């Protein structure tokens, strides 16, 4: 019924009981999960889960926090690892100026390398952006001018203006459990207006557990709670939203559909 389009099954908080987490997700109606990598040393483990579990797929990428530690991860290395049949996306990548854990210029270099890998492989780009909307939008647009690629703004928390720019570029927008938070009024207003054919849902597990699970490690099964909240926000039935976001997932991540 539900697809969790972004989770970290190999992170602390999940990996200790990974099989239990997967079982609970399936019991909650989750029929697919995209396991995201954020640094090179994770790639083998993230991919191993996808090779073992038929309803889990993998990405290859370097998070902007890790850009300084991975100056050698270029487009060619990403493309090579993406040849695996269980790798269906490039990322997560992008810009994070909130924590500034890596030099901003190095973040931008890494981001562009990932976009080139997305373009070269035909796999969608998974974009992380925090306090960097202007630079993110500019790079996405500049790179789109060099050749088309697909992608998603994951865990969307930016402005309605940024959402409009992303949608204009043909990108998808993924909503996490943050939308259920009491102080997320601006996000709720934007989430209510995202075109149905560009909407995805995610958990970003083990982070950002939605209401009513606040204070606990997030699990992919909790995407059902986000879906119910979002469906009510948009005036839709939860079955309708689940079907729409599932179809969108397989349209965007078409290698998973194959």
């Amino acid at each position: 019924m539900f697809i969790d389009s972004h989770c970290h099954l190999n992170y602390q908080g999940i990996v200790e009981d990974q099989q239990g987490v997967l079982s609970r997700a399936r019991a909650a109606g989750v029929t697919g999960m995209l396991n995201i990598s954020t640094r090179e040393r994770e790639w083998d483990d993230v991919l191993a889960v996808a090779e073992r579990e038929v309803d889990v797929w993998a990405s290859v990428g370097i998070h902007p926090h890790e850009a300084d530690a991975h100056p050698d991860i270029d487009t060619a290395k990403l493309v090579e690892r993406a040849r695996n049949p269980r790798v269906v996306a490039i990322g997560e990548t992008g810009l994070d100026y909130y924590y500034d854990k890596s030099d901003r210029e190095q973040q931008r270099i890494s981001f562009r390398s990932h976009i080139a890998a997305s373009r070269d492989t035909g796999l969608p780009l998974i974009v992380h952006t925090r306090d960097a909307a202007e630079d993110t939008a500019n790079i996405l647009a500049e790179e789109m001018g060099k050749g088309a690629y697909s992608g998603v703004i994951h865990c969307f928390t930016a402005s309605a203006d940024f959402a409009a720019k992303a949608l204009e570029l043909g990108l998808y927008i993924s909503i996490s459990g943050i939308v259920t938070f009491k102080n997320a009024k601006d996000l709720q207003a934007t989430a209510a207006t995202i075109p149905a054919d560009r909407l995805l849902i995610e958990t970003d597990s083990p982070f950002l557990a939605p209401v009513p699970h606040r204070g606990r490690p997030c699990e992919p099964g909790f995407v059902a709670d986000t879906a119910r909240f979002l469906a009510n926000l948009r005036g839709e039935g939860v079955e309708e939203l689940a079907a729409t976001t599932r179809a969108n997932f397989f349209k965007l991540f078409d290698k998973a559909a194959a």
Side-chain angles (χ1 to χ4, degrees):
M1 187 174 178
F2 305 106
I3 300 285
D4 184 356
S5 67
H6 192 113
C7 58
H8 300 279
L9 297 175
N10 294 78
Y11 271 25
Q12 185 176 356
I14 287 186
V15 71
E16 300 90 341
D17 183 29
Q18 191 180 80
Q19 287 304 132
V21 167
L22 291 172
S23 294
R24 289 190 290 276
R26 292 160 184 155
V30 178
T31 57
M33 292 158 269
L34 181 49
N35 193 19
I36 306 297
S37 65
T38 60
R39 63 200 81 169
E40 186 181 19
R41 69 176 182 268
E42 296 172 355
W43 289 359
D44 288 343
D45 290 340
V46 166
L47 187 53
V49 179
E51 290 176 333
R52 187 183 71 235
E53 308 290 343
V54 68
D55 52 357
V56 177
W57 300 274
S59 75
V60 290
I62 304 298
H63 193 285
H65 289 343
E66 301 291 332
D68 281 352
H70 294 80
D72 60 324
I73 300 300
D74 57 9
T75 298
K77 288 188 176 182
L78 292 164
V79 169
E80 176 59 31
R81 290 306 300 262
R83 298 186 197 283
N84 187 290
R86 300 299 290 172
V87 174
V88 302
I90 303 295
E92 64 185 282
T93 181
L95 305 175
D96 194 309
Y97 294 172
Y98 181 80
Y99 286 109
D100 272 328
K101 290 186 176 181
S102 285
D103 174 76
R104 291 185 178 186
E105 181 56 27
Q106 186 59 41
Q107 290 186 50
R108 292 188 282 265
I109 290 168
S110 179
F111 190 20
R112 291 184 188 273
S113 294
H114 283 71
I115 295 173
S118 173
R119 189 185 295 117
D120 289 354
T121 61
L123 297 180
L125 185 75
I126 298 170
V127 180
H128 169 108
T129 182
R130 189 168 185 189
D131 281 12
E134 183 176 0
D135 278 4
T136 302
N138 288 340
I139 289 173
L140 289 170
E142 288 171 13
E143 292 293 334
M144 195 68 76
K146 299 176 184 178
Y149 59 91
S150 62
V152 56
I153 309 299
H154 110 86
C155 193
F156 185 86
T157 57
S159 67
D161 179 65
F162 181 84
K165 291 176 180 178
L167 292 167
E168 187 176 353
L169 291 171
L171 303 179
Y172 289 67
I173 292 176
S174 182
I175 301 297
S176 74
I178 292 175
V179 77
T180 70
F181 298 1
K182 289 182 179 180
N183 63 351
K185 299 303 182 186
D186 289 347
L187 174 59
Q188 290 165 7
T190 302
T193 64
I194 296 168
D197 62 351
R198 300 284 193 82
L199 181 66
L200 295 175
I201 51 176
E202 65 171 88
T203 59
D204 204 12
S205 301
F207 311 111
L208 308 173
V211 175
H213 306 288
R214 300 296 295 136
R216 297 174 53 189
C218 191
E219 298 188 6
F222 298 171
V223 77
D225 298 278
T226 298
R228 282 188 282 269
F229 183 95
L230 186 58
N232 183 65
L233 188 68
R234 293 168 61 87
E236 303 170 5
V238 67
E239 296 85 359
E240 178 186 0
L241 185 133
T244 297
T245 53
R246 178 183 172 87
N248 291 345
F249 178 87
F250 286 114
K251 182 177 180 182
L252 178 61
F253 300 102
D254 55 356
K255 190 175 173 181

